[in-house]
Structure formats: C-alpha cells, structure tokens
Amino acid sequence: MSTQTSEPALGRRSFLRGAAFIAAAAPILTEAHLAQAAAQGATQAAAPPSGMALHGQSPNAPPPGMTLINANENPLGPSKAACDAIARVAPLGGRYDLNGETDLLARTFAAQNGLKLENVAAYAGSSEPLHYSVLAFTSPTRSFVTADPSYEAGMFAARTSQAKIVKVPLTADCAHDVKAMVKADPQAGVIYICNPNNPTGTLTTKQDIVWALENKPAGSILLVDEAYIHLTDAQDTLDLVAAGKDLIVLRTFSKIYGMAGIRCGFAVARPDLLAKLTPFGQNAMPITGSAAARASLEDAKLVPERRKLIGDTRRETIAWLKANNYKVIGDPQTNCFMIDTGRDGKAVFAAMKARNVMIGRTWPIWPNAVRVSVGTPEEMAKFKVAFKAVMDSPPMAFEDHVQLAELDYFAML
C-alpha cells in the first residue's frame, strides 16, 4: 500500500516559465544538511566560547572528541593518490580548468564502464543531478515515487516542482517493492530507487530494477541512485544506460572514495535525458575534485580494499548487536544500518549524543529506529559502549533529553 502527499497545484506553463528561478531558489540538499539538521533538532546548541570561529573552529562544528557516525561518511578520507592529485593541480587553481581535468575524468569513467563520453556528466557530488533530475521529470501532473524509508533529498526537489510525492513501504526484507512502486501512480514522472538503500543499507536486485524499467508508466524515468554500490558485490545498472534505457544513474565519490568534503559525482544517462538537466544550471567542477576523482578511479586496489575493511567492521558490529539481542533491520550491505531500539529513536539519538557519540537520524515511518554509519573499528568500539549504556537505562521521552520542544528537522532546512 502506498501513501500520498501533494502540494498545491501550479499551472504547467507557469511552472516551466519559472524553472530557472526555481532551480536557483530551491535548496539542493545533501546528506550533510540532513544529518546536521537532525543534530540541531536534538539539542539546543550552547553558545561557543568567544572568538572560537576566529581560531579555526566553526561555532557549528561538533565538540572535540565527538564520535561522528551520523552522515554515512568514510572516516578513511580520500586516498593518498587523490591527495597527491589535489596537490598537483592546486597551483593551477587560478585557472578554471587549464588541463581539462573534468574532461579527463569523464573520459576515464566512460572507458572503464563501457560508456560513451556523451553518457557522462560530471557534477560536484551527486546531489545536484539528483535535484535537477527530479525538477526535470516531475511536475504538478507527474509524481515522484519513492520507497519509504529511503533517502529524502528527492522529496524536497519534488516539493519544489509541486509534484505529488508517493511513498511506498519497503518489502519485508527491506528491498524496494518495485511492483508496488510501478503501480503506485500511472502518471509518475520519476521512480526513485536508491540502491543500496539509505538508510537501511539493503539491496534491491538488478532483476527487480530491470522489471521496473520494463513496466514503468510511459514517459517516466527510473532515477537509480548508486551512491553506495561500491560497498557491495551487487551488479550496477550502467549497462542499462549503455543500452539506451529510460534511466538516470547517479554516482558519488563521497562514500567509498572518501571525498564527501571534496565533492565529485556523475549523472549517467542517454544524452537526451542529460540535456533535460542542463537548463537548471551547473557550477564548474573544481579541478581539485576532478583530479582527485580520476586518481581514485585509476587506483585499482582502492575499492576492494575499502569494501573489505568497511564490510568487516560492519559485520563485526552487527554480530555484536545481535549477540546482545538488539534488533538490526534487514541485511545491511553498505556503510550504514538501522537498529530498531524499541523506544523513541530521537531520544536514543539525544542520549547517544550526550555520551559523545553522534549517530544518524530517524525516519517518520520507523520512529523507533536509528541509523548508524560504519566508522573505524575504534569508533565502533565507542559506539558499543555508549549504545549499551543508553539501552540499559530506562527509556526517556525525547523532551526529557533536550531543551527544545520536539522539532520536525525538515522544517529547519
């Protein structure tokens, strides 16, 4: 069964006429925005010491010593090859792209994945093309269909385009229910499939994605977000792009490549689909991001080594949780997982933060579940100590942990 929400209608002609303004005015949300908003909604920020921001510490920065496993970041950071590439091109930063770094990056990615150069558009992360894809293919008459729970940024873009948002619960094993999603609205513009899924870290089979592609409503596209695909052994969908199908695939260097603060990503699709994103604008790629991303792609050992390290840490942590009778949701395969705490998830979030461990947010459909990112083994050891202490304590209401009334953190963005 699906649930629907809608925004006030807007005439299609006026919508299209105002598209450029909408794109400029609407916030392009990232995982960082959502994680920060959840943290700000959980506790009232104390005033920073006078002068803190003038001595290299932002007043919005987390306290020193805080364990940060809340934003699905890679604590390993960029590889040495990526850092070396940044150092190489940084002196050229007075020019926009003197050496054609972004073109070289796109050519490298295309060659590695059996694609034509015209199939690849580079962006400063995957948030821009996600946002623009939703604006381009949804409208007051073409809805945005998404799993529930799943990554929320596309819904904000859909609100901007005045599109109906249709949420479809995950299956019992936490995969996308593609048959229900395809049937949810015959006027769908975008069917969004985050695979592996954020926040559950679970997989939807390629067979199911192909079925959705073959049975989707006419005129719609699949928007397949593969931000976490490298953390698994699952098949990707780039070959479907090469075959000319109706989908846009998103990639980012923020996860396994550890470049969340450097920014690089791709939209991968047929040229005519990519062309529909261009009216919404795009900043020039920073040469540092392009060079670091290309160096990462050319490091053949990087992905398998990091996949194993992160996977081993995830499996060990989940084994500990299960041994202590904590309920892990589904079969996570990436750098995040969800725990059904059996109590108010926002209260657990706040209690963990009070113990200097920042975990991820809750989702409305599962208010007792919290998302946890996979950090280093040392960080996960701190998580275990804090989580056991919280769960061994009597449950408390969210308001008992905070100075603020309970907030909808989306309203803060």
Side-chain angles (χ1 to χ4, degrees), residues 79-161:
S79 68
K80 182 181 184 304
C83 291
D84 289 345
I86 291 172
R88 172 179 60 81
V89 302
L92 305 177
R95 307 290 183 180
Y96 288 110
D97 194 353
L98 187 65
N99 290 354
E101 293 292 340
T102 303
D103 180 66
L104 289 171
L105 167 65
R107 290 178 183 277
T108 299
F109 181 81
Q112 288 182 348
N113 292 282
L115 299 164
K116 296 178 181 178
L117 184 60
E118 63 188 14
N119 295 130
V120 182
Y123 287 85
S126 61
S127 298
E128 278 186 83
L130 191 164
H131 190 87
Y132 297 159
S133 295
V134 177
L135 292 184
F137 293 96
T138 68
S139 71
T141 60
R142 303 290 287 188
S143 68
F144 176 79
V145 180
T146 183
D148 191 19
S150 192
Y151 184 47
E152 312 99 317
M155 290 191 289
F156 285 93
R159 291 180 185 178
T160 300
S161 67

Side-chain angles (χ1 to χ4, degrees), residues 156-177:
F156 285 93
R159 291 180 185 178
T160 300
S161 67
Q162 303 294 317
K164 179 172 65 178
I165 298 168
V166 183
K167 300 180 184 180
V168 179
L170 297 172
T171 64
D173 59 356
C174 295
H176 286 67
D177 190 341

Side-chain angles (χ1 to χ4, degrees), residues 75-403:
L76 301 174
S79 68
K80 182 181 184 304
C83 291
D84 289 345
I86 291 172
R88 172 179 60 81
V89 302
L92 305 177
R95 307 290 183 180
Y96 288 110
D97 194 353
L98 187 65
N99 290 354
E101 293 292 340
T102 303
D103 180 66
L104 289 171
L105 167 65
R107 290 178 183 277
T108 299
F109 181 81
Q112 288 182 348
N113 292 282
L115 299 164
K116 296 178 181 178
L117 184 60
E118 63 188 14
N119 295 130
V120 182
Y123 287 85
S126 61
S127 298
E128 278 186 83
L130 191 164
H131 190 87
Y132 297 159
S133 295
V134 177
L135 292 184
F137 293 96
T138 68
S139 71
T141 60
R142 303 290 287 188
S143 68
F144 176 79
V145 180
T146 183
D148 191 19
S150 192
Y151 184 47
E152 312 99 317
M155 290 191 289
F156 285 93
R159 291 180 185 178
T160 300
S161 67
Q162 303 294 317
K164 179 172 65 178
I165 298 168
V166 183
K167 300 180 184 180
V168 179
L170 297 172
T171 64
D173 59 356
C174 295
H176 286 67
D177 190 341
V178 297
K179 292 185 178 180
M181 293 176 77
V182 164
K183 294 177 181 178
D185 185 1
Q187 296 301 314
V190 171
I191 299 175
Y192 174 69
I193 298 177
C194 185
N195 192 44
N197 191 36
N198 175 15
T200 56
T202 49
L203 285 166
T204 299
T205 67
K206 185 173 181 179
Q207 180 181 1
D208 277 351
I209 294 174
V210 171
W211 187 93
L213 196 57
E214 293 175 346
N215 292 275
K216 65 179 181 60
S220 66
I221 65 158
L222 258 59
L223 182 58
V224 183
D225 189 341
E226 294 186 340
Y228 302 90
I229 196 72
H230 298 100
L231 291 154
T232 78
D233 294 319
Q235 291 180 294
D236 63 37
T237 56
L238 295 180
D239 62 315
L240 301 176
V241 172
K245 303 298 184 180
D246 293 331
L247 79 163
I248 297 175
V249 179
L250 303 176
R251 289 291 182 88
T252 183
F253 286 78
S254 295
K255 307 306 175 183
I256 204 163
Y257 294 113
M259 290 175 45
I262 299 173
R263 311 306 297 150
C264 187
F266 295 117
V268 188
R270 290 198 320 259
D272 62 300
L273 298 182
L274 292 178
K276 292 184 181 296
L277 277 58
T278 56
F280 298 99
Q282 178 186 354
N283 287 324
M285 277 292 297
I287 61 171
T288 48
S290 294
R294 180 161 65 93
S296 298
L297 290 177
E298 292 173 342
D299 185 348
K301 296 181 179 179
L302 182 62
V303 168
E305 288 179 350
R306 291 189 167 193
R307 181 191 297 142
K308 182 180 186 306
L309 179 60
I310 293 168
D312 287 347
T313 306
R314 179 191 70 244
R315 285 184 286 270
E316 192 280 330
T317 304
I318 290 176
W320 177 86
L321 287 165
K322 291 182 176 179
N324 284 274
N325 297 315
Y326 301 124
K327 184 179 179 181
V328 177
I329 296 175
D331 183 19
Q333 299 294 310
T334 66
N335 65 337
C336 68
F337 53 87
M338 293 199 85
I339 307 170
D340 183 350
T341 67
R343 58 179 74 178
D344 182 357
K346 290 183 179 180
V348 173
F349 178 103
M352 290 290 288
K353 185 177 180 183
R355 288 167 172 79
N356 233 26
V357 176
M358 188 81 76
I359 59 173
R361 57 192 180 275
T362 64
W363 269 251
I365 193 172
W366 292 343
N368 292 342
V370 294
R371 190 192 67 190
V372 179
S373 302
V374 178
T376 64
E378 294 76 17
E379 288 172 330
M380 301 318 289
K382 293 178 181 178
F383 158 76
K384 293 174 192 175
V385 172
F387 189 74
K388 190 174 188 306
V390 169
M391 297 305 292
D392 285 348
S393 302
M396 298 178 68
F398 176 70
E399 289 82 1
D400 292 333
H401 286 278
V402 297
Q403 300 299 317

